[in-house]
Amino acid sequence: MPDIPSMNKLLGRGENSFVYHAVVVIFLEFFAWGLLTTPMLTVLHQTFPQHTFLMNGLIHGVKGLLSFLSAPLIGALSDVWGRKSFLLLTVFFTCAPIPLMKISPWWYFAVISMSGVFAVTFSVIFAYVADITQEHERSTAYGLVSATFAASLVTSPAIGAYLSVAYGDMLVVILATAIALLDICFILVAVPESLPEKMRPASWGAPISWEQADPFASLRKVGQDSTVLLICITVFLSYLPEAGQYSSFFLYLRQVIRFTPETVAAFIAVVGILSILAQTVVLGILMRSIGNKNTILLGLGFQILQLAWYGFGSQPWMMWAAGAVAAMSSITFPAISAIVSRNADPDQQGVVQGMITGIRGLCNGLGPALYGFVFYLFHVELINNASSSAIIPGPPFLFGACSVLLSLLVALFIPEHTGPGMRPGAYKKHSNGAQSHSHSPQGSGAEGKEPLLEDSSV
């Protein structure tokens, strides 16, 4: 478990005092969306009664592909112009669809799809945390941020379900909109800029490396460093089924397993609480005892077990048991983010986190569409007992387990990095941040040809 002085330093008033700003921003954004869990499932089924899974996959697919295209650009811009303004943009446009749910469902789903351009809050938040923490603290801080995401989903779906039954969906939408506005106001008033002044240009007209901002250029750079390539493949193969699962699982519980809205909310709360414990207490213990790489491997192993259980499970108790395993699998992404951040230059945190978020955005596009298509292909539709006679009740989840198994095999070859000692030039570059920015137009081409992470192994 993270020691008390370390946690106090992360949440206190010292040099690394602003992690709690990132925590609040993430909590409010996803708490607002969590309130809409039950109303959104209802609106989705009413709007697309014939092919609900398929349309759900396509909507999230468009959003994810747009996120993939925009994440490297926003990450690169935040490396130059600062984090605060991009936190404001990402939160505002991500939450923009909320009030449209009751105004026009068609516009609501259309704007959700388009909001993917700015649905990259996590990449900016992780770059923000990298700015304000030291390397040995970063995995704890990332775990705290990821646990906050889980915490935002612990109570909000249950609160939303209760309010929806007692007072109607309109009140839930109004409350979610108010919380989103509160998040925006918090960023404007309370969140400080984390990027050091010397690493920012004198004006917003300063150029950036557009090669870094190009998502396809980022993918081309992946092949130039074997470690980056292995990490990105691991992220892609493991997050592809997770993205598909996240987009359709609550709908699957409601319509196929026949969970009630209250049971779905309780399921989210229990899994969320277990995820918080996994990403704070368990993650800290594992990172110190077995190392970064082995923590990733363990998380992937839990994810394989969870998805296989979802795939073959047909009874409610099986879903609850698999949910407990799913909580343990949530340690994977904070561990991956930590290993990426620890081995990237200080002035490239936004770029590398944007690259990883871009890969996740690509999965957010392909995963839901793939899950929706597999549900459609196996005739798992929203009718009573549609899948009760099937040998495999949840075919997409079994496909996901196979994908994560491949991810685990790839992750075996990721080298265990040793941190700043392997990168003596990184801090020199950081200390001369102003000069490096002033020469960025001339050096951007050469810089773009260098690996983003230093490839070193023990």
Side-chain angles (χ1 to χ4, degrees):
M1 181 175 181
D3 56 277
I4 298 300
S6 175
M7 293 301 293
N8 287 340
K9 191 173 182 182
L10 284 175
L11 297 174
R13 293 280 180 184
E15 180 184 0
N16 302 320
S17 62
F18 299 116
V19 172
Y20 78 92
H21 288 103
V23 167
V24 172
V25 170
I26 286 294
F27 181 84
L28 291 177
E29 177 180 336
F30 289 97
F31 187 88
W33 276 107
L35 287 172
L36 299 178
T37 301
T38 297
M40 184 167 62
L41 296 180
T42 302
V43 172
L44 182 67
H45 183 34
Q46 291 174 348
T47 308
F48 309 106
Q50 298 301 318
H51 302 295
T52 309
F53 280 119
L54 183 61
M55 293 306 300
N56 180 62
L58 291 176
I59 291 166
H60 284 86
V62 173
K63 179 180 179 180
L65 289 173
L66 291 176
S67 174
F68 159 70
L69 294 173
S70 65
L73 172 60
I74 292 177
L77 288 173
S78 73
D79 278 338
V80 177
W81 293 339
R83 316 294 185 198
K84 179 174 180 175
S85 56
F86 288 96
L87 279 178
L88 187 63
L89 282 174
T90 55
V91 171
F92 176 82
F93 284 102
T94 300
C95 295
I98 291 177
L100 295 175
M101 175 180 283
K102 299 304 293 183
I103 298 174
S104 172
W106 283 94
W107 275 107
Y108 169 72
F109 291 117
V111 176
I112 282 181
S113 300
M114 295 300 103
S115 70
V117 173
F118 291 97
V120 292
T121 307
F122 264 105
S123 67
V124 183
I125 283 289
F126 280 175
Y128 185 97
V129 170
D131 294 338
I132 59 178
T133 57
Q134 299 177 15
E135 291 192 13
H136 69 278
E137 300 170 328
R138 209 160 287 162
S139 61
T140 302
Y142 283 160
L144 187 63
V145 171
S146 297
T148 301
F149 165 71
S152 68
L153 299 179
V154 169
T155 55
S156 57
I159 293 173
Y162 170 77
L163 293 176
S164 178
V165 172
Y167 302 102
D169 290 349
M170 180 61 76
L171 178 65
V172 179
V173 174
I174 292 173
L175 180 60
T177 303
I179 292 173
L181 290 174
L182 177 63
D183 198 10
I184 293 169
C185 292
F186 177 79
I187 297 172
L188 282 171
V189 175
V191 175
E193 178 55 61
S194 65
L195 194 67
E197 186 68 34
K198 64 183 179 180
M199 296 180 67
R200 284 179 275 156
S203 71
W204 275 58
I208 68 167
S209 171
W210 291 103
E211 184 179 356
Q212 289 182 344
D214 178 2
F216 299 102
S218 296
L219 289 179
R220 289 193 294 270
K221 289 178 186 178
V222 165
Q224 299 175 10
D225 187 308
S226 60
T227 301
V228 172
L229 178 62
L230 292 171
I231 291 174
C232 286
I233 293 175
T234 300
V235 171
F236 179 81
L237 291 175
S238 64
Y239 196 71
L240 182 68
E242 184 175 338
Q245 171 187 323
Y246 185 76
S247 70
S248 61
F249 186 61
F250 301 140
L251 188 63
Y252 178 79
L253 291 178
R254 278 280 304 273
Q255 305 298 338
V256 177
I257 307 298
R258 298 300 167 191
F259 274 25
T260 65
E262 294 77 13
T263 308
V264 171
F267 181 90
I268 296 172
V270 171
V271 175
I273 291 172
L274 294 176
S275 297
I276 293 169
L277 294 174
Q279 294 176 44
T280 52
V281 178
V282 178
L283 178 64
I285 294 173
L286 291 176
M287 292 288 282
R288 290 195 302 271
S289 59
I290 65 175
N292 204 329
K293 175 183 172 180
N294 290 329
T295 300
I296 294 172
L297 296 176
L298 185 62
L300 293 173
F302 279 116
Q303 189 179 1
I304 293 171
L305 178 59
Q306 161 223 332
L307 288 168
W309 211 332
Y310 282 153
F312 287 108
S314 59
Q315 300 299 320
W317 72 267
M318 297 179 180
M319 299 296 105
W320 285 97
V325 178
M328 282 301 301
S329 71
S330 66
I331 63 176
T332 303
F333 185 64
I336 289 177
S337 296
I339 202 171
V340 169
S341 177
R342 192 173 68 238
N343 294 279
D345 290 336
D347 61 351
Q348 288 190 323
Q349 292 293 331
V351 173
V352 295
Q353 296 296 346
M355 181 180 67
I356 297 299
T357 301
I359 297 293
R360 284 164 60 93
L362 182 61
C363 294
N364 282 331
L366 296 177
L370 183 61
Y371 265 50
F373 177 73
V374 174
F375 274 126
Y376 176 75
L377 192 65
F378 282 82
H379 306 290
V380 181
E381 284 299 332
L382 304 182
I383 55 176
N384 290 327
N385 301 319
S387 59
S388 60
S389 61
I391 298 176
I392 304 176
F397 303 112
L398 191 59
F399 165 82
C402 296
S403 177
V404 180
L405 178 60
L406 293 177
S407 176
L408 178 64
L409 296 176
V410 172
L412 289 171
F413 296 96
I414 296 176
E416 184 75 63
H417 291 257
T418 60
M422 302 300 295
R423 300 183 292 104
Y427 291 95
K428 181 178 179 181
K429 183 177 181 179
H430 183 45
S431 64
N432 296 318
Q435 289 85 347
S436 67
H437 275 294
S438 65
H439 293 86
S440 59
Q442 289 83 1
S444 61
E447 184 177 281
K449 294 180 176 60
E450 297 175 359
L452 287 177
L453 306 184
E454 300 292 337
D455 187 10
S456 56
S457 58
V458 177

